[in-house]
């Protein structure tokens, strides 16, 4: 019998219940006991959903109140001392690491002021994980009441035997970093870490766990030798425990592992290996030839990263090819990865057109798809013929839909010429023009776009959507919000203003709603980090811009501001990466279509008197293929060309900015240079400033604003803290090229902390402005 398996399930709940509970707890309106009870309710609900769908292997320990890697930091006693010395509850310690904690002394409790740990993208997804931060004298110790065991027993009590999910020891260390001031190479700590895994696995077996899923996704990377060599001793040591531990299923995802195929010989003592056949179906034969003679192969044939219905015919053919070689008892049908990256259920979409709804499959539906495929290959296709026929009809309907192809878009793409990718003059000429027209001081201050989205903004947006107020009334409200944002920036004495984006719901959705080729869900939320959820739009067809999207608000903002005003756009790669893209057209084609739409918008903004235009590309690094080679080179080529196509249609005096999220710049620095943006702002506050060294080593010629404080936390940085950060940056960057700005947009923050943080930031910039004016 071929079993069905889900590698992980979304945590938030059908109505973003976890988000609401966590934020209520942080606000002090929900008790810790109530928060924990809500977590338990959600876990039970999700286990029951999968059981009802008929899934054979249901995961546990895939739930987290913030992030699964952060769970492991606490699980294995790797909490940095700065968080563990304040007598916090385990829950508060956990959240302090995830989002920082700043509270005054009260009722005998000492004051706490700690920033969050660094947060980075989970491989090439838009999910963020909290980076383990390790010490030279690092010790590991299993938590007194291990979360994986508690949640396994919770499910067992309800009559559901789950498969606990752990981040594997090698991946956990490869994804870690030394703390500031520390020199430890994380992988060197493997011998110290393995005994804690051994303890945990033994306890899971004692609790009744039959198998455990150990995620080792770093196997899709080009691993350094020491990390690659770590698999053999790690899994030989675990195998030596024999029947004392559950059967181990080593899971990989987000790419192929053929380049690390020799590592599979180190894993032959494990029960099973999981591979992602959605991202890399061509690896199947190589993997089948490398696994042990009795090992089981888990086949990821249901896409854990996108929302399209699975093509059953194609998936069944892959599974049957494996069965032909391995036999039914050695094959598991599974999701390609955790379903964390997909919305909860399509059943919640009451307003989505039936035609489009028929094309989509969310997490609950994907659980059913896994079961249908497993049944088809176990009992024969006739056992699920009705489902197969319905699926084939949906796949064909989408392929032939009039919404998919637009000849006018294809025609415009065919007219693109090489000179459309280039600015009129090189950077020195442009900067000379911009200095004359913008008249900015040294260490210019700005923000990266959005200001706090208050409850009143959300209420008014809801009212205009429901028709409770007119479009004219809403426009007047937005104009008042823009005036208020401008006044606040004038009071803070920032140098380059933004209009605050009060009219925007999301940095991708807002643009998608104004472009053809997109559709939108009402409940298609996915977790980005912590309690932050996003609702990615869906690209269903060719993309174009019917009319201007942002000009009205930006033009008004210019009219009420006394300083330069930035126009704010989301770049083509981010619009693509933060949507659910088409799977029937190459990503480069979709990016080019988006770039042409944005090119028109940039041109219209400039014509409206907006002479600083920021085109954000926080997802540029995220989209970089995980391994070096031709695929990565091709991606960089078409991604850079898309950005330049969007931004090159301006005069030299117009300043083009871009923004990036946390990135390891070393492996795609040449792409950053090739963008030819006049100013970059980068999310950098929780990274070591020495990461900026690449800008020195490569003699980066243009202007740059590394973030001076973390916007993901409500904590207010002191003026001295920001001064210290700027001082660090000046070790690597020239004063004349340094901008001063927060890490990212301020949409999710509250006004009091925003004003306090920006005041300290402006004062710090003025300190250095005065200091260098004397030189």
């Amino acid at each position: 019998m071929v079993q069905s398996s889900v590698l992980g399930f979304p945590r938030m709940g059908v109505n973003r219940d976890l988000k609401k509970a966590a934020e209520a707890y942080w606000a002090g309106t929900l008790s810790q006991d109530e928060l924990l009870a809500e977590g338990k309710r959600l876990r039970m609900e999700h286990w029951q959903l999968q059981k009802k769908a008929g899934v054979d292997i249901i995961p546990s320990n895939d739930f987290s109140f913030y992030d699964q890697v952060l769970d492991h930091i606490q699980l294995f006693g790797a909490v940095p001392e700065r968080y563990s010395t304040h007598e916090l509850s385990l829950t508060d310690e956990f959240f302090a690491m995830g989002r920082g904690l700043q509270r005054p002394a009260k009722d005998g409790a000492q004051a706490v002021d700690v920033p969050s740990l660094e947060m980075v993208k989970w491989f090439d997804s838009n999910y963020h994980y909290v980076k383990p931060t390790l010490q030279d004298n690092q010790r590991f110790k299993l938590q007194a009441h291990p979360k994986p065991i508690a949640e396994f027993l919770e499910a067992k009590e309800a009559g559901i035997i789950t498969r606990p999910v752990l981040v594997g020891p090698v991946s956990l260390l490869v994804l870690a970093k030394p703390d500031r001031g520390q020199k430890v190479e994380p992988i060197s700590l493997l011998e110290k870490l393995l005994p804690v895994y051994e303890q945990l696995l033994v306890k899971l077996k004692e609790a009744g766990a039959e198998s455990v899923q150990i995620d080792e996704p770093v196997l899709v990377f080009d691993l350094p030798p020491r990390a690659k060599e770590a698999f053999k001793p790690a899994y030989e040591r675990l195998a030596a425990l024999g029947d004392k531990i559950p059967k181990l299923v080593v899971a990989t995802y987000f790419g192929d592992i053929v380049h690390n195929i020799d590592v599979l010989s180190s894993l032959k003592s494990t029960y099973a290996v999981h591979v992602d056949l959605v991202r890399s179906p061509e690896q199947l034969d190589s993997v089948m030839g490398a696994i042990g003679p009795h090992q089981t192969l888990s086949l990821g044939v249901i896409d854990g990263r996108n929302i399209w219905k699975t093509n059953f015919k194609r998936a069944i053919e892959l599974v049957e090819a494996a069965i032909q070689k391995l036999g039914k008892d050695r094959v598991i049908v599974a999701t390609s990865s955790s379903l964390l990256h997909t919305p909860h259920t399509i059943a919640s979409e009451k307003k989505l057109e039936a035609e489009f709804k028929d094309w989509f499959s969310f997490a609950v539906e994907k659980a059913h798809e896994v079961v249908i495929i497993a049944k088809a290959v176990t009992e024969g296709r006739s056992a699920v013929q009705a489902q197969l026929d319905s699926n084939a009809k949906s796949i064909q309907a989408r392929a032939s839909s009039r919404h998919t192809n637009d000849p006018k878009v294809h025609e415009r793409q065919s007219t693109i010429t090489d000179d459309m990718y280039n600015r009129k003059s090189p950077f020195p000429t442009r900067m000379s023009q911009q200095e004359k027209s913008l008249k900015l001081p040294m260490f210019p201050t700005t923000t990266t776009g959005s200001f706090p989205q208050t409850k009143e903004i959300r209420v008014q947006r809801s009212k205009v959507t429901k028709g409770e107020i007119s479009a004219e009334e809403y426009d007047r409200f937005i104009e008042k919000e823009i005036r208020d944002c401008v006044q606040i920036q004038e009071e803070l004495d920032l140098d380059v203003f933004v209009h605050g984006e009060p009219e925007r719901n999301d940095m991708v959705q807002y643009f998608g709603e104004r472009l053809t080729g997109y559709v939108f869900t009402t409940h298609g939320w996915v977790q980005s980090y912590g309690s932050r959820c996003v609702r990615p739009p869906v690209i269903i067809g060719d993309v174009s811009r019917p009319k201007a999207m942002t000009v009205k608000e930006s033009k008004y903002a210019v009219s009420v501001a006394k300083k330069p005003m930035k126009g704010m756009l989301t770049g083509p790669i981010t619009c693509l990466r933060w949507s659910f893209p088409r799977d029937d057209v190459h990503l480069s084609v979709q990016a080019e279509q988006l770039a042409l739409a944005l090119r028109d918008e940039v041109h219209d903004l400039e014509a409206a008197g907006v002479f600083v235009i920021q085109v954000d590309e926080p997802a540029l690094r995220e989209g970089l293929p995980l391994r070096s080679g031709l695929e990565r080179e091709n991606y960089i080529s078409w991604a850079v060309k898309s950005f330049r196509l969007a931004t090159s249609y301006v005069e030299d005096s117009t300043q083009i900015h871009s923004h990036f999220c946390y990135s390891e710049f070393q492996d795609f620095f040449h792409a950053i240079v090739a963008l030819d943006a006049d100013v970059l702002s980068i999310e950098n506050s929780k990274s070591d400033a020495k990461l900026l060294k690449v800008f020195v080593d490569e003699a980066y010629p243009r202007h740059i604003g590394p973030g001076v404080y973390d916007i993901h936390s409500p904590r207010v940085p002191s003026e001295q803290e920001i001064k210290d950060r700027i001082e660090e940056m000046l070790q690597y960057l020239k004063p004349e090229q340094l901008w001063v700005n927060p890490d990212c947009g301020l949409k999710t923050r509250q006004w009091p902390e925003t004003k306090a943080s920006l005041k300290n930031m402006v004062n710090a910039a003025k300190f250095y402005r005065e200091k260098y004016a004397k030189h």
Side-chain angles (χ1 to χ4, degrees):
M1 172 185 172
V2 175
Q3 290 187 299
S4 55
S5 168
V6 169
L7 267 61
F9 201 79
R11 305 159 183 155
M12 285 292 156
V14 67
N15 293 310
R16 290 181 292 161
D17 312 82
L18 180 58
K19 170 187 173 67
K20 295 169 186 175
E23 291 177 357
Y25 177 71
W26 299 335
T29 59
L30 193 75
S31 71
Q32 182 171 302
D33 286 346
E34 289 171 322
L35 175 68
L36 298 177
E38 178 66 354
K40 182 174 182 178
R41 182 190 72 79
L42 285 169
R43 289 192 294 272
M44 191 59 62
E45 183 177 287
H46 298 161
W47 289 327
Q48 294 287 6
L49 278 171
Q50 293 170 84
K51 182 179 181 181
K52 184 178 178 182
V55 176
D56 297 309
I57 303 169
I58 297 171
S60 61
N61 198 45
D62 54 336
F63 176 88
S64 176
F65 282 106
Y66 204 91
D67 165 56
Q68 73 272 12
V69 180
L70 182 54
D71 282 329
H72 285 68
I73 292 171
Q74 199 169 52
L75 173 66
F76 295 140
V79 177
E81 189 176 352
R82 56 187 173 277
Y83 302 100
S84 61
T85 57
H86 299 287
E87 298 180 356
L88 299 173
S89 69
L90 285 175
T91 300
D92 288 344
E93 177 189 81
F94 177 79
F95 286 134
M97 289 188 286
R99 62 193 302 268
L101 181 62
Q102 189 173 52
R103 77 180 182 201
K106 185 179 179 182
D107 300 330
Q110 59 180 309
V112 183
D113 185 5
V114 288
S116 59
L117 291 174
E118 183 178 2
M119 188 168 62
V120 293
K121 293 293 180 74
W122 181 245
F123 293 77
D124 59 354
S125 77
N126 190 31
Y127 177 77
H128 301 66
Y129 76 96
V130 177
K131 205 167 183 65
T133 303
L134 306 175
Q135 316 302 316
D136 291 346
N137 61 347
Q138 184 69 53
R139 295 181 180 180
F140 298 102
K141 182 180 179 182
L142 187 64
Q143 197 175 30
H145 301 287
K147 176 180 176 290
I149 296 171
E151 293 182 7
F152 173 81
L153 292 173
E154 201 176 282
K156 186 180 178 183
E157 261 183 56
I160 302 173
I161 300 299
T162 59
R163 183 173 74 186
V165 181
L166 302 175
V167 177
V170 179
S171 290
L172 189 66
L173 293 175
V174 168
L175 297 172
K177 70 168 189 176
D179 208 347
R180 284 191 182 181
Q182 304 295 292
K183 298 178 181 179
V184 65
E185 185 181 0
I187 198 66
S188 70
L189 298 171
L190 183 64
E191 285 298 309
K192 290 185 177 181
L193 180 60
L194 285 174
V196 192
Y197 272 87
E198 291 174 321
Q199 281 180 268
L200 177 59
L201 290 168
V202 167
K203 288 179 179 289
L204 280 168
K205 180 64 179 283
E206 291 170 351
E210 298 166 4
S211 63
V212 170
Q213 175 183 319
I214 299 191
D215 287 357
E216 291 285 12
V218 299
L219 277 169
V220 302
F221 286 154
D222 292 316
L223 290 170
R226 191 166 184 183
K228 190 170 182 176
E229 292 161 4
F231 281 94
K232 189 174 190 297
Y235 284 90
E236 283 181 353
R237 181 163 173 171
L238 296 179
L241 294 171
D243 293 338
K244 294 180 181 178
I245 64 173
K247 295 183 292 186
L248 303 183
V249 178
V250 178
T252 69
Y253 37 80
F254 301 159
D256 75 86
I257 60 170
V258 173
H259 54 292
N260 286 320
I261 203 77
D262 52 326
V263 173
L264 288 187
S265 64
S266 308
L267 304 176
K268 286 183 178 178
S269 57
T270 63
Y271 165 69
V273 172
H274 171 86
V275 290
D276 184 342
L277 296 184
V278 173
R279 290 289 284 269
S280 184
E282 63 277 3
Q283 69 178 315
L284 179 58
D285 287 341
S286 297
V287 172
M288 286 195 295
I291 62 173
H294 305 293
Q295 255 183 325
T296 293
L297 187 58
S298 173
L299 307 176
V301 293
I302 305 295
D303 196 346
R305 292 277 298 273
N306 213 331
I307 48 71
W308 303 105
K309 278 186 175 178
T310 300
N311 185 320
F312 282 168
K313 180 177 181 294
R314 194 179 302 157
I316 289 170
E317 287 171 354
L318 268 177
V319 176
E320 286 178 338
I323 289 172
Q324 189 172 3
K325 182 163 186 177
L326 303 176
K328 291 181 180 180
D329 291 341
R330 292 178 59 201
V331 170
I332 297 172
V333 172
T335 56
S336 63
S337 64
S338 169
L339 296 176
L340 173 68
H341 312 282
T342 62
H344 189 85
T345 177
I346 194 69
S348 298
E349 300 302 325
K350 307 299 184 185
K351 297 180 180 179
L352 190 63
E353 286 186 41
E355 179 183 7
F356 304 139
K357 193 173 181 178
D358 181 55
W359 301 348
F360 300 159
S361 176
F362 294 176
V364 170
E365 292 74 37
K366 288 176 185 291
H368 285 274
E369 288 184 334
V370 169
V371 173
I372 290 168
I373 292 173
K375 189 172 184 179
V377 296
T378 298
E379 301 176 20
R381 300 189 189 199
S382 60
V384 288
Q385 195 61 53
Q387 292 96 320
L388 298 184
D389 291 344
S390 175
N391 178 263
K393 186 178 178 181
S394 298
I395 300 297
Q396 178 57 35
R398 179 186 163 209
S400 59
S401 171
R402 63 183 176 84
H403 296 287
T404 304
N405 297 300
D406 183 344
K408 290 181 180 178
V409 174
H410 298 171
E411 182 182 350
R412 188 177 182 195
Q413 286 180 280
S414 71
T415 65
I416 295 172
T417 58
D418 288 346
D419 63 347
M420 293 171 70
Y421 298 114
N422 299 314
R423 295 286 295 270
K424 293 182 177 181
S425 304
F427 174 73
T429 303
R430 301 197 309 260
M431 184 50 62
S432 176
Q433 293 291 320
Q434 292 161 21
E435 287 172 351
K436 291 175 184 176
S437 61
L438 299 175
K439 298 179 173 62
L440 298 176
M442 285 187 75
F443 303 102
T445 57
T446 189
T447 63
T448 54
S450 59
F451 272 123
Q453 291 253 325
T454 62
K455 182 179 179 181
E456 179 62 14
I457 291 174
R458 294 191 294 272
V459 167
Q460 294 299 315
R461 187 181 298 141
S462 175
K463 282 184 176 181
V464 74
T465 301
K466 295 176 181 176
E468 296 174 6
I469 61 173
S470 68
E472 292 76 16
E473 289 174 306
Y474 182 67
D475 286 346
R476 287 197 296 272
F477 169 77
I478 291 299
E479 287 180 353
K480 180 185 179 301
E481 288 293 317
I482 291 172
R483 290 196 303 273
D484 290 347
C485 281
V486 168
Q487 183 179 343
I488 288 167
Q489 290 171 93
E490 287 175 346
E491 291 169 356
L492 290 165
D493 203 19
L494 287 157
D495 298 307
V496 176
F497 291 179
V498 296
H499 79 282
E501 305 177 18
E503 78 284 4
R504 303 188 190 182
N505 43 19
D506 173 83
M507 66 183 292
V508 175
Q509 181 184 345
Y510 180 81
F511 290 94
E513 287 172 345
R514 287 153 180 79
L515 296 167
T516 63
Y518 270 94
V519 297
F520 305 87
T521 63
T522 53
H523 292 82
W525 298 99
V526 294
Q527 185 182 13
S528 178
Y529 64 86
S531 67
R532 170 75 169 144
C533 296
V534 294
R535 187 157 45 99
V538 185
I539 303 176
I540 60 160
D542 293 324
V543 176
S544 62
R545 186 195 78 146
K547 62 181 181 180
M549 302 180 284
T550 67
V551 174
K552 180 175 71 173
E553 292 80 12
S554 292
K555 187 174 181 179
Y556 179 77
V558 168
S559 75
V560 297
K562 298 174 184 176
K563 291 187 178 180
M565 176 66 64
K566 274 197 288 192
M568 301 297 303
L569 303 175
T570 303
I573 303 305
T574 300
C575 282
L576 176 65
R577 294 289 310 180
W578 290 1
S579 301
F580 288 118
R582 296 169 67 176
D583 61 356
D584 61 334
V585 171
H586 195 272
L587 294 174
S588 62
V589 175
Q590 298 172 70
E592 186 176 78
Q593 293 174 359
L594 287 159
L596 286 169
L598 290 165
R599 181 181 177 87
D600 295 340
E601 189 72 12
V602 168
H603 181 64
D604 287 351
L605 281 171
E606 184 184 52
V610 182
F611 302 121
V612 182
I613 302 172
Q614 182 169 312
V615 181
D616 287 343
E617 283 292 20
L620 185 69
R621 172 62 179 82
E622 170 193 313
L624 192 72
L626 297 172
R627 295 183 56 221
S628 60
L630 185 60
E631 184 185 4
R632 179 178 285 192
E633 292 168 10
N634 288 340
Y635 166 78
I636 289 173
S637 175
W638 61 256
V640 167
K641 287 175 73 174
S642 295
F643 180 88
R644 293 179 65 143
L645 181 62
T647 58
S648 293
Y649 193 20
V650 292
E651 299 298 325
D652 288 346
S653 57
T654 295
Q655 192 170 77
I656 296 294
H657 289 227
S658 192
H659 171 70
F660 298 94
C661 283
Y662 284 112
S663 298
E664 297 290 340
F665 297 112
Q666 295 87 335
D667 54 5
F668 84 131
F669 187 81
H670 61 296
I672 294 175
V673 175
L675 293 177
D676 200 25
D678 299 308
V679 182
L680 298 179
S681 60
I682 59 175
E683 199 170 4
N684 189 68
S685 69
K686 288 185 286 188
S687 299
D688 196 317
K690 68 185 178 188
L691 291 177
L692 298 174
K693 187 173 182 293
V694 67
F695 288 88
V696 179
D697 294 343
E698 301 293 337
Y700 184 71
R702 294 183 277 277
H703 288 196
I704 181 169
V708 295
Y709 76 88
D710 176 26
I711 61 85
H712 297 101
S713 169
R715 178 180 174 272
V716 176
S718 68
E719 182 179 325
Q720 186 58 50
E721 189 177 325
I722 297 176
K723 286 178 182 176
D724 293 343
R725 196 70 179 149
I726 295 172
E727 186 68 38
E728 278 186 294
M729 293 171 182
L730 286 169
Q731 296 176 35
Y732 303 99
L733 300 171
K734 298 173 184 176
E736 58 268 23
Q737 71 179 148
L738 184 61
W739 283 59
V740 179
N741 46 258
D743 254 350
C744 205
L746 300 163
K747 175 181 177 180
T748 61
R749 301 275 53 91
Q750 302 297 315
W751 271 115
E753 72 214 35
T754 296
K755 291 178 182 179
S757 298
L758 289 176
K759 180 181 178 181
N760 291 342
M761 185 189 83
V762 170
N763 288 341
K766 287 180 175 178
F767 170 84
Y768 281 97
R769 196 173 296 161
E770 184 177 338
K771 177 179 177 180
Y772 278 85
K774 296 174 182 177
H775 285 193

